[in-house]
Amino acid sequence: MIKTIIKEQVREALKTCGFKASRDFVVEVPPNTEFGDYSTNAAMVLCKENKKAPKDLAEALIKELKKNKYFKKLKIDGPGFINIFLAPALYQKVLWEMHEKGVDYAMSDYGKGEKVLLEFVSANPTGPLNIVSARAAAFGDTLYRVMKYVGYAPTREFYINDAGNQVDILAESLELRLREIQGERIGEFPFEAYHGEYVKHLAQKLNAQEGNRVFMMTEKDRMDHLKEFALAEILDMQRSSLDKFDVEFEAWVSEKTLRSEGVVEEVLSYLTEADCTYEKEEAIWFKSEEYGDDKDRVLMKSDGSITYFVPDLAYHLTKIQRGYTTLIDIFGPDHHGYVPRLRAAFRALGYDDSMLEIIYLQQVNLFESGEKVKMSKRAGKIVTMDDLIGEVGKDAARYFFIARKANAHLNFDLELATQKNNENPVYYCQYAHARISSIIKKARKDKMTPRNYRWEHAQRLIKPEEHALIGKLAELPELLIQVAEYREPHRLTVWAEDLCALFHRYYSKHRVVVAKNKELTRGRLLLMERVRSSLAVVLDLMGISAPDKM
RNA sequence: GCGCCAGUAGCUCAGUAGGAUAGAGCAGCAGCCUUCUAAGCUGCGGGUCAGGGGUUCGAAUCCCUUCUGGCGUGCCA
């Protein structure tokens, strides 16, 4: 908000001075407070087209800008930066504007209602969700919340891979465990089978419900029955983990259902019509290399079954048919080899593949006693999302997962995270919220809170620490837009930590509730209300609670 | 081999979209509670931004290249 105001003023000054300004310049917070509250590189960026030395241009601009009452001091530094010291009046005005707009002053219609489909987690329904899924859940959900807040029309979807090889293996694993329970000797458990304890639990549950009834069925019926049972149970497990994480999906799309609707045949015929398939070694191939992939890919295997790619492509096409213009997939690092063929298919079918956007979340490395924990679904060695939530809590887990850029590896130290009183910054932010709540409670008790805040209250704020807080608050509208646009939720945590640091510093230097000075107290309360609600908004966007006391 | 991602303080990571003297937390050291919550604050030390070249007024950021690490490179999903 402040940057926008300053930029506006600089533009006007440029105009009044008669300078050309075709290139864009920036207004930013300088690295050092000696350089002022804000600075702009306008003079350097525009010096060439105006055929003037940066410093001359800057000088002319400053002369003009000095007429503005919001600028206390202006000077040229370095190669031609214009450094700006703001008058308290501007901070006060901005705070007052935020107050008048209310808690959601940072909300906007930036996204213009664009329909965005966010697909994430989409874990195989063959076991409990692991911590990589947890990372995807936290990341995707936060991105969803922010996009919605700034005016997009996003939807969250979970694609269920409930057809294909892995489901057969799941059913076979379950059958073996069931036989085991019934006293059969099954020998060594097959390497490919799912080794996790949960398969045993499923078997016990099924055994309790149905005894050996399943073994009366024909083999085909039995496999179908086991599949159905296992899928339903596991999906329930996954859903409940996500519930605990406060992550909801607008839709769960089943691959099996898609297949039964005939989309597989449809997609195959589209690709054939587009003349980009051929037969080789009794399989049907897609000429993906012609469309930018490394090599051609199999669509239908020689045994007549379909590869994962076909229904997945069909699923993506339904997204377009349903009117989404941006398709965001949040994938794990092991999927990047897969994406070129998806893009290739988009191009082959005449769709703009730039509407497909992939965010790769790098892996989560789990550390215990300084050693990396090796996880494997197949071998059953896994730390689940539930384990994690149980140990560190939803708030800390969500915070931790979004605190890093998507394409950075995430090292998760279990011991560190299991300590409740650790240095996890989530406590730092929540503590700030609790502290402010406490101040406001105290003010209310002392009958210092006004019925209505007035502009005069804002005018009592003259301390640099107060201006710093207002400056940070004023960044929020732009920040949220950037988080949405660049798909970078981690910036929320950076901002929250900055704001809280400014608050804690302010807290230790100045008292808010000053018994002898009611008007000053009210000015400061006005600011504190705004800090608290902004923090609460951001914590909520991250899916983290904002406690009133700790 | 080829492709994708990464490499910033002892550790975990930011770095505002090309800007000024590269920042924070933790760890280490030294201080601060008769006041609205010390889960806090203040100060100190800590760097060849993996190496090299280029682009320009200006590079951690863009381009090229080398090195190191992770992942991918199935008629698995």
Side-chain angles (χ1 to χ4, degrees), chain A residues 139 142 399 401-406 479 483 487-497 542:
Chain A
F139 185 97
T142 301
Y399 192 96
F401 280 130
I402 59 172
R404 278 154 184 82
K405 284 186 295 201
L479 175 88
V483 167
R487 333 290 193 214
E488 287 181 340
H490 77 274
R491 289 179 173 223
L492 294 175
T493 66
V494 176
W495 183 87
E497 284 171 47
M542 298 192 281

PDB file of all heavy atoms in Angstrom, chain A residues 139 142 399 401-406 479 483 487-497 542, chain B residues 13-15 17:
ATOM      1  N   PHE A 139       1.048 -27.576   1.744  1.00  0.00           N
ATOM      2  CA  PHE A 139       1.406 -26.636   0.684  1.00  0.00           C
ATOM      3  C   PHE A 139       0.195 -26.311  -0.198  1.00  0.00           C
ATOM      4  O   PHE A 139      -0.139 -25.147  -0.421  1.00  0.00           O
ATOM      5  CB  PHE A 139       2.528 -27.238  -0.169  1.00  0.00           C
ATOM      6  CG  PHE A 139       3.067 -26.314  -1.226  1.00  0.00           C
ATOM      7  CD1 PHE A 139       4.213 -25.579  -0.980  1.00  0.00           C
ATOM      8  CD2 PHE A 139       2.431 -26.188  -2.448  1.00  0.00           C
ATOM      9  CE1 PHE A 139       4.717 -24.725  -1.955  1.00  0.00           C
ATOM     10  CE2 PHE A 139       2.928 -25.330  -3.424  1.00  0.00           C
ATOM     11  CZ  PHE A 139       4.077 -24.591  -3.166  1.00  0.00           C
ATOM     12  N   THR A 142      -2.655 -24.395   1.636  1.00  0.00           N
ATOM     13  CA  THR A 142      -2.330 -22.997   1.910  1.00  0.00           C
ATOM     14  C   THR A 142      -2.406 -22.176   0.624  1.00  0.00           C
ATOM     15  O   THR A 142      -2.948 -21.073   0.608  1.00  0.00           O
ATOM     16  CB  THR A 142      -0.937 -22.886   2.540  1.00  0.00           C
ATOM     17  OG1 THR A 142      -0.925 -23.643   3.747  1.00  0.00           O
ATOM     18  CG2 THR A 142      -0.587 -21.453   2.844  1.00  0.00           C
ATOM     19  N   TYR A 399       3.101 -25.529   9.674  1.00  0.00           N
ATOM     20  CA  TYR A 399       4.036 -24.408   9.570  1.00  0.00           C
ATOM     21  C   TYR A 399       5.362 -24.870   8.981  1.00  0.00           C
ATOM     22  O   TYR A 399       5.896 -24.279   8.058  1.00  0.00           O
ATOM     23  CB  TYR A 399       4.260 -23.800  10.947  1.00  0.00           C
ATOM     24  CG  TYR A 399       4.978 -22.473  10.905  1.00  0.00           C
ATOM     25  CD1 TYR A 399       4.263 -21.288  10.937  1.00  0.00           C
ATOM     26  CD2 TYR A 399       6.365 -22.403  10.812  1.00  0.00           C
ATOM     27  CE1 TYR A 399       4.908 -20.067  10.882  1.00  0.00           C
ATOM     28  CE2 TYR A 399       7.022 -21.193  10.749  1.00  0.00           C
ATOM     29  CZ  TYR A 399       6.293 -20.019  10.795  1.00  0.00           C
ATOM     30  OH  TYR A 399       6.937 -18.817  10.727  1.00  0.00           O
ATOM     31  N   PHE A 401       6.055 -27.385   7.147  1.00  0.00           N
ATOM     32  CA  PHE A 401       6.005 -27.807   5.747  1.00  0.00           C
ATOM     33  C   PHE A 401       5.911 -26.648   4.770  1.00  0.00           C
ATOM     34  O   PHE A 401       6.384 -26.740   3.646  1.00  0.00           O
ATOM     35  CB  PHE A 401       4.834 -28.762   5.519  1.00  0.00           C
ATOM     36  CG  PHE A 401       5.124 -30.152   5.959  1.00  0.00           C
ATOM     37  CD1 PHE A 401       4.238 -30.833   6.774  1.00  0.00           C
ATOM     38  CD2 PHE A 401       6.276 -30.801   5.556  1.00  0.00           C
ATOM     39  CE1 PHE A 401       4.510 -32.127   7.185  1.00  0.00           C
ATOM     40  CE2 PHE A 401       6.561 -32.090   5.965  1.00  0.00           C
ATOM     41  CZ  PHE A 401       5.662 -32.759   6.783  1.00  0.00           C
ATOM     42  N   ILE A 402       5.241 -25.568   5.165  1.00  0.00           N
ATOM     43  CA  ILE A 402       5.153 -24.478   4.203  1.00  0.00           C
ATOM     44  C   ILE A 402       6.263 -23.456   4.363  1.00  0.00           C
ATOM     45  O   ILE A 402       6.373 -22.538   3.573  1.00  0.00           O
ATOM     46  CB  ILE A 402       3.787 -23.756   4.249  1.00  0.00           C
ATOM     47  CG1 ILE A 402       3.539 -23.194   5.626  1.00  0.00           C
ATOM     48  CG2 ILE A 402       2.669 -24.669   3.802  1.00  0.00           C
ATOM     49  CD1 ILE A 402       2.320 -22.316   5.647  1.00  0.00           C
ATOM     50  N   ALA A 403       7.091 -23.651   5.380  1.00  0.00           N
ATOM     51  CA  ALA A 403       8.130 -22.657   5.625  1.00  0.00           C
ATOM     52  C   ALA A 403       9.282 -22.726   4.622  1.00  0.00           C
ATOM     53  O   ALA A 403      10.208 -21.941   4.691  1.00  0.00           O
ATOM     54  CB  ALA A 403       8.667 -22.798   7.044  1.00  0.00           C
ATOM     55  N   ARG A 404       9.189 -23.696   3.710  1.00  0.00           N
ATOM     56  CA  ARG A 404      10.268 -23.817   2.730  1.00  0.00           C
ATOM     57  C   ARG A 404       9.746 -23.755   1.309  1.00  0.00           C
ATOM     58  O   ARG A 404       8.613 -24.124   1.043  1.00  0.00           O
ATOM     59  CB  ARG A 404      11.015 -25.126   2.937  1.00  0.00           C
ATOM     60  CG  ARG A 404      12.018 -25.012   4.024  1.00  0.00           C
ATOM     61  CD  ARG A 404      12.288 -26.348   4.666  1.00  0.00           C
ATOM     62  NE  ARG A 404      13.209 -26.174   5.775  1.00  0.00           N
ATOM     63  CZ  ARG A 404      12.836 -25.771   6.987  1.00  0.00           C
ATOM     64  NH1 ARG A 404      11.580 -25.518   7.246  1.00  0.00           N
ATOM     65  NH2 ARG A 404      13.722 -25.627   7.941  1.00  0.00           N
ATOM     66  N   LYS A 405      10.603 -23.292   0.443  1.00  0.00           N
ATOM     67  CA  LYS A 405      10.239 -23.262  -0.966  1.00  0.00           C
ATOM     68  C   LYS A 405       9.941 -24.683  -1.441  1.00  0.00           C
ATOM     69  O   LYS A 405      10.523 -25.641  -0.954  1.00  0.00           O
ATOM     70  CB  LYS A 405      11.403 -22.716  -1.803  1.00  0.00           C
ATOM     71  CG  LYS A 405      11.578 -21.237  -1.711  1.00  0.00           C
ATOM     72  CD  LYS A 405      12.645 -20.765  -2.673  1.00  0.00           C
ATOM     73  CE  LYS A 405      14.019 -21.299  -2.307  1.00  0.00           C
ATOM     74  NZ  LYS A 405      15.117 -20.515  -2.871  1.00  0.00           N
ATOM     75  N   ALA A 406       9.068 -24.769  -2.436  1.00  0.00           N
ATOM     76  CA  ALA A 406       8.659 -26.080  -2.930  1.00  0.00           C
ATOM     77  C   ALA A 406       9.849 -26.905  -3.378  1.00  0.00           C
ATOM     78  O   ALA A 406       9.983 -28.075  -3.026  1.00  0.00           O
ATOM     79  CB  ALA A 406       7.667 -25.917  -4.077  1.00  0.00           C
ATOM     80  N   LEU A 479       1.812  -8.807  -0.693  1.00  0.00           N
ATOM     81  CA  LEU A 479       2.421 -10.085  -0.365  1.00  0.00           C
ATOM     82  C   LEU A 479       1.508 -11.248  -0.744  1.00  0.00           C
ATOM     83  O   LEU A 479       1.934 -12.219  -1.367  1.00  0.00           O
ATOM     84  CB  LEU A 479       2.742 -10.160   1.130  1.00  0.00           C
ATOM     85  CG  LEU A 479       3.275 -11.532   1.554  1.00  0.00           C
ATOM     86  CD1 LEU A 479       4.770 -11.601   1.385  1.00  0.00           C
ATOM     87  CD2 LEU A 479       2.864 -11.899   2.953  1.00  0.00           C
ATOM     88  N   VAL A 483       2.232 -14.301  -3.220  1.00  0.00           N
ATOM     89  CA  VAL A 483       2.171 -15.704  -2.798  1.00  0.00           C
ATOM     90  C   VAL A 483       1.329 -16.501  -3.793  1.00  0.00           C
ATOM     91  O   VAL A 483       1.689 -17.590  -4.210  1.00  0.00           O
ATOM     92  CB  VAL A 483       1.579 -15.833  -1.377  1.00  0.00           C
ATOM     93  CG1 VAL A 483       1.217 -17.277  -1.059  1.00  0.00           C
ATOM     94  CG2 VAL A 483       2.558 -15.303  -0.349  1.00  0.00           C
ATOM     95  N   ARG A 487       3.098 -18.769  -6.505  1.00  0.00           N
ATOM     96  CA  ARG A 487       2.851 -20.051  -5.819  1.00  0.00           C
ATOM     97  C   ARG A 487       3.910 -20.292  -4.758  1.00  0.00           C
ATOM     98  O   ARG A 487       4.579 -21.328  -4.767  1.00  0.00           O
ATOM     99  CB  ARG A 487       2.837 -21.236  -6.799  1.00  0.00           C
ATOM    100  CG  ARG A 487       2.436 -20.950  -8.235  1.00  0.00           C
ATOM    101  CD  ARG A 487       0.995 -20.606  -8.406  1.00  0.00           C
ATOM    102  NE  ARG A 487       0.589 -20.635  -9.804  1.00  0.00           N
ATOM    103  CZ  ARG A 487      -0.319 -19.823 -10.326  1.00  0.00           C
ATOM    104  NH1 ARG A 487      -0.916 -18.904  -9.587  1.00  0.00           N
ATOM    105  NH2 ARG A 487      -0.662 -19.934 -11.590  1.00  0.00           N
ATOM    106  N   GLU A 488       4.089 -19.317  -3.882  1.00  0.00           N
ATOM    107  CA  GLU A 488       5.142 -19.437  -2.879  1.00  0.00           C
ATOM    108  C   GLU A 488       4.623 -19.196  -1.457  1.00  0.00           C
ATOM    109  O   GLU A 488       4.882 -18.155  -0.864  1.00  0.00           O
ATOM    110  CB  GLU A 488       6.278 -18.449  -3.183  1.00  0.00           C
ATOM    111  CG  GLU A 488       7.103 -18.882  -4.363  1.00  0.00           C
ATOM    112  CD  GLU A 488       8.253 -17.928  -4.678  1.00  0.00           C
ATOM    113  OE1 GLU A 488       8.212 -16.758  -4.250  1.00  0.00           O
ATOM    114  OE2 GLU A 488       9.189 -18.372  -5.353  1.00  0.00           O
ATOM    115  N   PRO A 489       3.923 -20.174  -0.913  1.00  0.00           N
ATOM    116  CA  PRO A 489       3.371 -20.017   0.436  1.00  0.00           C
ATOM    117  C   PRO A 489       4.430 -19.714   1.504  1.00  0.00           C
ATOM    118  O   PRO A 489       4.099 -19.118   2.522  1.00  0.00           O
ATOM    119  CB  PRO A 489       2.724 -21.373   0.723  1.00  0.00           C
ATOM    120  CG  PRO A 489       2.450 -21.960  -0.608  1.00  0.00           C
ATOM    121  CD  PRO A 489       3.532 -21.447  -1.521  1.00  0.00           C
ATOM    122  N   HIS A 490       5.673 -20.114   1.272  1.00  0.00           N
ATOM    123  CA  HIS A 490       6.671 -19.927   2.336  1.00  0.00           C
ATOM    124  C   HIS A 490       6.845 -18.461   2.698  1.00  0.00           C
ATOM    125  O   HIS A 490       7.283 -18.127   3.789  1.00  0.00           O
ATOM    126  CB  HIS A 490       8.013 -20.536   1.936  1.00  0.00           C
ATOM    127  CG  HIS A 490       8.791 -19.719   0.962  1.00  0.00           C
ATOM    128  ND1 HIS A 490       8.599 -19.823  -0.397  1.00  0.00           N
ATOM    129  CD2 HIS A 490       9.737 -18.768   1.148  1.00  0.00           C
ATOM    130  CE1 HIS A 490       9.422 -18.970  -1.001  1.00  0.00           C
ATOM    131  NE2 HIS A 490      10.109 -18.321  -0.099  1.00  0.00           N
ATOM    132  N   ARG A 491       6.470 -17.567   1.788  1.00  0.00           N
ATOM    133  CA  ARG A 491       6.604 -16.154   2.106  1.00  0.00           C
ATOM    134  C   ARG A 491       5.690 -15.724   3.234  1.00  0.00           C
ATOM    135  O   ARG A 491       5.950 -14.730   3.902  1.00  0.00           O
ATOM    136  CB  ARG A 491       6.266 -15.317   0.890  1.00  0.00           C
ATOM    137  CG  ARG A 491       7.295 -15.389  -0.179  1.00  0.00           C
ATOM    138  CD  ARG A 491       6.789 -14.547  -1.264  1.00  0.00           C
ATOM    139  NE  ARG A 491       7.718 -14.369  -2.321  1.00  0.00           N
ATOM    140  CZ  ARG A 491       7.923 -13.191  -2.893  1.00  0.00           C
ATOM    141  NH1 ARG A 491       7.262 -12.150  -2.460  1.00  0.00           N
ATOM    142  NH2 ARG A 491       8.764 -13.088  -3.865  1.00  0.00           N
ATOM    143  N   LEU A 492       4.611 -16.453   3.426  1.00  0.00           N
ATOM    144  CA  LEU A 492       3.719 -16.128   4.537  1.00  0.00           C
ATOM    145  C   LEU A 492       4.464 -16.253   5.857  1.00  0.00           C
ATOM    146  O   LEU A 492       4.299 -15.423   6.752  1.00  0.00           O
ATOM    147  CB  LEU A 492       2.510 -17.073   4.556  1.00  0.00           C
ATOM    148  CG  LEU A 492       1.532 -16.999   3.392  1.00  0.00           C
ATOM    149  CD1 LEU A 492       0.478 -18.086   3.542  1.00  0.00           C
ATOM    150  CD2 LEU A 492       0.869 -15.637   3.321  1.00  0.00           C
ATOM    151  N   THR A 493       5.266 -17.308   5.963  1.00  0.00           N
ATOM    152  CA  THR A 493       5.976 -17.515   7.229  1.00  0.00           C
ATOM    153  C   THR A 493       7.042 -16.451   7.418  1.00  0.00           C
ATOM    154  O   THR A 493       7.279 -15.992   8.525  1.00  0.00           O
ATOM    155  CB  THR A 493       6.629 -18.914   7.301  1.00  0.00           C
ATOM    156  OG1 THR A 493       7.674 -19.004   6.329  1.00  0.00           O
ATOM    157  CG2 THR A 493       5.606 -20.012   7.071  1.00  0.00           C
ATOM    158  N   VAL A 494       7.682 -16.049   6.332  1.00  0.00           N
ATOM    159  CA  VAL A 494       8.700 -15.012   6.434  1.00  0.00           C
ATOM    160  C   VAL A 494       8.066 -13.713   6.923  1.00  0.00           C
ATOM    161  O   VAL A 494       8.563 -13.061   7.843  1.00  0.00           O
ATOM    162  CB  VAL A 494       9.398 -14.787   5.077  1.00  0.00           C
ATOM    163  CG1 VAL A 494      10.390 -13.639   5.162  1.00  0.00           C
ATOM    164  CG2 VAL A 494      10.104 -16.059   4.628  1.00  0.00           C
ATOM    165  N   TRP A 495       6.939 -13.377   6.310  1.00  0.00           N
ATOM    166  CA  TRP A 495       6.251 -12.136   6.704  1.00  0.00           C
ATOM    167  C   TRP A 495       5.792 -12.204   8.159  1.00  0.00           C
ATOM    168  O   TRP A 495       5.962 -11.259   8.920  1.00  0.00           O
ATOM    169  CB  TRP A 495       5.058 -11.887   5.776  1.00  0.00           C
ATOM    170  CG  TRP A 495       4.341 -10.600   6.052  1.00  0.00           C
ATOM    171  CD1 TRP A 495       4.644  -9.366   5.551  1.00  0.00           C
ATOM    172  CD2 TRP A 495       3.215 -10.409   6.914  1.00  0.00           C
ATOM    173  NE1 TRP A 495       3.762  -8.417   6.047  1.00  0.00           N
ATOM    174  CE2 TRP A 495       2.882  -9.032   6.880  1.00  0.00           C
ATOM    175  CE3 TRP A 495       2.445 -11.272   7.710  1.00  0.00           C
ATOM    176  CZ2 TRP A 495       1.809  -8.492   7.607  1.00  0.00           C
ATOM    177  CZ3 TRP A 495       1.391 -10.728   8.434  1.00  0.00           C
ATOM    178  CH2 TRP A 495       1.079  -9.365   8.383  1.00  0.00           C
ATOM    179  N   ALA A 496       5.203 -13.327   8.520  1.00  0.00           N
ATOM    180  CA  ALA A 496       4.685 -13.477   9.882  1.00  0.00           C
ATOM    181  C   ALA A 496       5.819 -13.334  10.899  1.00  0.00           C
ATOM    182  O   ALA A 496       5.669 -12.653  11.915  1.00  0.00           O
ATOM    183  CB  ALA A 496       3.996 -14.827  10.045  1.00  0.00           C
ATOM    184  N   GLU A 497       6.954 -13.940  10.599  1.00  0.00           N
ATOM    185  CA  GLU A 497       8.076 -13.843  11.529  1.00  0.00           C
ATOM    186  C   GLU A 497       8.599 -12.416  11.609  1.00  0.00           C
ATOM    187  O   GLU A 497       8.946 -11.932  12.684  1.00  0.00           O
ATOM    188  CB  GLU A 497       9.195 -14.806  11.129  1.00  0.00           C
ATOM    189  CG  GLU A 497       8.863 -16.249  11.491  1.00  0.00           C
ATOM    190  CD  GLU A 497       9.851 -17.246  10.905  1.00  0.00           C
ATOM    191  OE1 GLU A 497      11.068 -17.018  11.026  1.00  0.00           O
ATOM    192  OE2 GLU A 497       9.404 -18.245  10.311  1.00  0.00           O
ATOM    193  N   MET A 542      -2.539 -20.091   6.676  1.00  0.00           N
ATOM    194  CA  MET A 542      -1.612 -21.214   6.773  1.00  0.00           C
ATOM    195  C   MET A 542      -2.264 -22.411   7.450  1.00  0.00           C
ATOM    196  O   MET A 542      -1.653 -23.467   7.569  1.00  0.00           O
ATOM    197  CB  MET A 542      -0.363 -20.791   7.558  1.00  0.00           C
ATOM    198  CG  MET A 542       0.414 -19.666   6.892  1.00  0.00           C
ATOM    199  SD  MET A 542       2.050 -19.392   7.614  1.00  0.00           S
ATOM    200  CE  MET A 542       1.680 -18.459   9.074  1.00  0.00           C
TER     201      MET A 542
ATOM    202  P     C B  13      17.057 -27.303   5.154  1.00  0.00           P
ATOM    203  OP1   C B  13      16.086 -28.257   4.621  1.00  0.00           O
ATOM    204  OP2   C B  13      18.403 -27.177   4.536  1.00  0.00           O
ATOM    205  O5'   C B  13      16.358 -25.889   5.219  1.00  0.00           O
ATOM    206  C5'   C B  13      16.601 -24.895   4.260  1.00  0.00           C
ATOM    207  C4'   C B  13      16.056 -23.613   4.806  1.00  0.00           C
ATOM    208  O4'   C B  13      16.945 -23.091   5.811  1.00  0.00           O
ATOM    209  C3'   C B  13      15.922 -22.475   3.809  1.00  0.00           C
ATOM    210  O3'   C B  13      14.722 -22.610   3.069  1.00  0.00           O
ATOM    211  C2'   C B  13      15.912 -21.258   4.717  1.00  0.00           C
ATOM    212  O2'   C B  13      14.642 -21.075   5.298  1.00  0.00           O
ATOM    213  C1'   C B  13      16.900 -21.676   5.800  1.00  0.00           C
ATOM    214  N1    C B  13      18.269 -21.175   5.572  1.00  0.00           N
ATOM    215  C2    C B  13      18.550 -19.826   5.852  1.00  0.00           C
ATOM    216  O2    C B  13      17.640 -19.113   6.280  1.00  0.00           O
ATOM    217  N3    C B  13      19.795 -19.349   5.641  1.00  0.00           N
ATOM    218  C4    C B  13      20.737 -20.162   5.173  1.00  0.00           C
ATOM    219  N4    C B  13      21.947 -19.653   4.976  1.00  0.00           N
ATOM    220  C5    C B  13      20.485 -21.531   4.880  1.00  0.00           C
ATOM    221  C6    C B  13      19.243 -21.996   5.091  1.00  0.00           C
ATOM    222  P     A B  14      14.483 -21.796   1.738  1.00  0.00           P
ATOM    223  OP1   A B  14      13.324 -22.382   1.074  1.00  0.00           O
ATOM    224  OP2   A B  14      15.754 -21.650   0.981  1.00  0.00           O
ATOM    225  O5'   A B  14      14.072 -20.387   2.324  1.00  0.00           O
ATOM    226  C5'   A B  14      14.773 -19.253   1.921  1.00  0.00           C
ATOM    227  C4'   A B  14      14.213 -18.063   2.612  1.00  0.00           C
ATOM    228  O4'   A B  14      15.061 -17.774   3.757  1.00  0.00           O
ATOM    229  C3'   A B  14      14.253 -16.804   1.753  1.00  0.00           C
ATOM    230  O3'   A B  14      13.074 -16.667   0.990  1.00  0.00           O
ATOM    231  C2'   A B  14      14.435 -15.706   2.793  1.00  0.00           C
ATOM    232  O2'   A B  14      13.204 -15.419   3.438  1.00  0.00           O
ATOM    233  C1'   A B  14      15.367 -16.398   3.779  1.00  0.00           C
ATOM    234  N9    A B  14      16.782 -16.248   3.419  1.00  0.00           N
ATOM    235  C8    A B  14      17.666 -17.233   3.059  1.00  0.00           C
ATOM    236  N7    A B  14      18.886 -16.800   2.808  1.00  0.00           N
ATOM    237  C5    A B  14      18.779 -15.429   3.005  1.00  0.00           C
ATOM    238  C6    A B  14      19.725 -14.384   2.907  1.00  0.00           C
ATOM    239  N6    A B  14      20.987 -14.572   2.569  1.00  0.00           N
ATOM    240  N1    A B  14      19.306 -13.130   3.174  1.00  0.00           N
ATOM    241  C2    A B  14      18.012 -12.953   3.508  1.00  0.00           C
ATOM    242  N3    A B  14      17.037 -13.839   3.650  1.00  0.00           N
ATOM    243  C4    A B  14      17.493 -15.076   3.377  1.00  0.00           C
ATOM    244  P     G B  15      13.197 -16.438  -0.565  1.00  0.00           P
ATOM    245  OP1   G B  15      11.843 -16.147  -1.053  1.00  0.00           O
ATOM    246  OP2   G B  15      13.985 -17.550  -1.149  1.00  0.00           O
ATOM    247  O5'   G B  15      14.075 -15.116  -0.668  1.00  0.00           O
ATOM    248  C5'   G B  15      13.607 -13.895  -0.098  1.00  0.00           C
ATOM    249  C4'   G B  15      14.728 -12.896  -0.050  1.00  0.00           C
ATOM    250  O4'   G B  15      15.804 -13.430   0.759  1.00  0.00           O
ATOM    251  C3'   G B  15      15.393 -12.597  -1.392  1.00  0.00           C
ATOM    252  O3'   G B  15      14.668 -11.611  -2.101  1.00  0.00           O
ATOM    253  C2'   G B  15      16.768 -12.104  -0.961  1.00  0.00           C
ATOM    254  O2'   G B  15      16.723 -10.766  -0.520  1.00  0.00           O
ATOM    255  C1'   G B  15      17.048 -13.017   0.232  1.00  0.00           C
ATOM    256  N9    G B  15      17.811 -14.209  -0.154  1.00  0.00           N
ATOM    257  C8    G B  15      17.331 -15.482  -0.347  1.00  0.00           C
ATOM    258  N7    G B  15      18.263 -16.335  -0.698  1.00  0.00           N
ATOM    259  C5    G B  15      19.423 -15.579  -0.740  1.00  0.00           C
ATOM    260  C6    G B  15      20.761 -15.950  -1.055  1.00  0.00           C
ATOM    261  O6    G B  15      21.198 -17.057  -1.367  1.00  0.00           O
ATOM    262  N1    G B  15      21.620 -14.863  -0.981  1.00  0.00           N
ATOM    263  C2    G B  15      21.262 -13.585  -0.640  1.00  0.00           C
ATOM    264  N2    G B  15      22.238 -12.682  -0.623  1.00  0.00           N
ATOM    265  N3    G B  15      20.030 -13.228  -0.342  1.00  0.00           N
ATOM    266  C4    G B  15      19.168 -14.266  -0.403  1.00  0.00           C
ATOM    267  P     A B  17      11.464  -7.344  -6.541  1.00  0.00           P
ATOM    268  OP1   A B  17      12.580  -6.547  -5.979  1.00  0.00           O
ATOM    269  OP2   A B  17      10.312  -6.674  -7.126  1.00  0.00           O
ATOM    270  O5'   A B  17      12.031  -8.385  -7.598  1.00  0.00           O
ATOM    271  C5'   A B  17      13.269  -8.202  -8.272  1.00  0.00           C
ATOM    272  C4'   A B  17      13.394  -9.325  -9.272  1.00  0.00           C
ATOM    273  O4'   A B  17      12.853 -10.535  -8.702  1.00  0.00           O
ATOM    274  C3'   A B  17      12.626  -9.104 -10.575  1.00  0.00           C
ATOM    275  O3'   A B  17      13.289  -9.857 -11.600  1.00  0.00           O
ATOM    276  C2'   A B  17      11.282  -9.750 -10.284  1.00  0.00           C
ATOM    277  O2'   A B  17      10.584 -10.137 -11.421  1.00  0.00           O
ATOM    278  C1'   A B  17      11.752 -10.968  -9.484  1.00  0.00           C
ATOM    279  N9    A B  17      10.734 -11.499  -8.553  1.00  0.00           N
ATOM    280  C8    A B  17       9.909 -10.806  -7.715  1.00  0.00           C
ATOM    281  N7    A B  17       9.128 -11.580  -6.997  1.00  0.00           N
ATOM    282  C5    A B  17       9.467 -12.860  -7.404  1.00  0.00           C
ATOM    283  C6    A B  17       8.993 -14.123  -7.035  1.00  0.00           C
ATOM    284  N6    A B  17       8.048 -14.320  -6.127  1.00  0.00           N
ATOM    285  N1    A B  17       9.538 -15.191  -7.640  1.00  0.00           N
ATOM    286  C2    A B  17      10.486 -14.997  -8.561  1.00  0.00           C
ATOM    287  N3    A B  17      11.014 -13.856  -8.996  1.00  0.00           N
ATOM    288  C4    A B  17      10.454 -12.821  -8.377  1.00  0.00           C
TER     289        A B  17
END
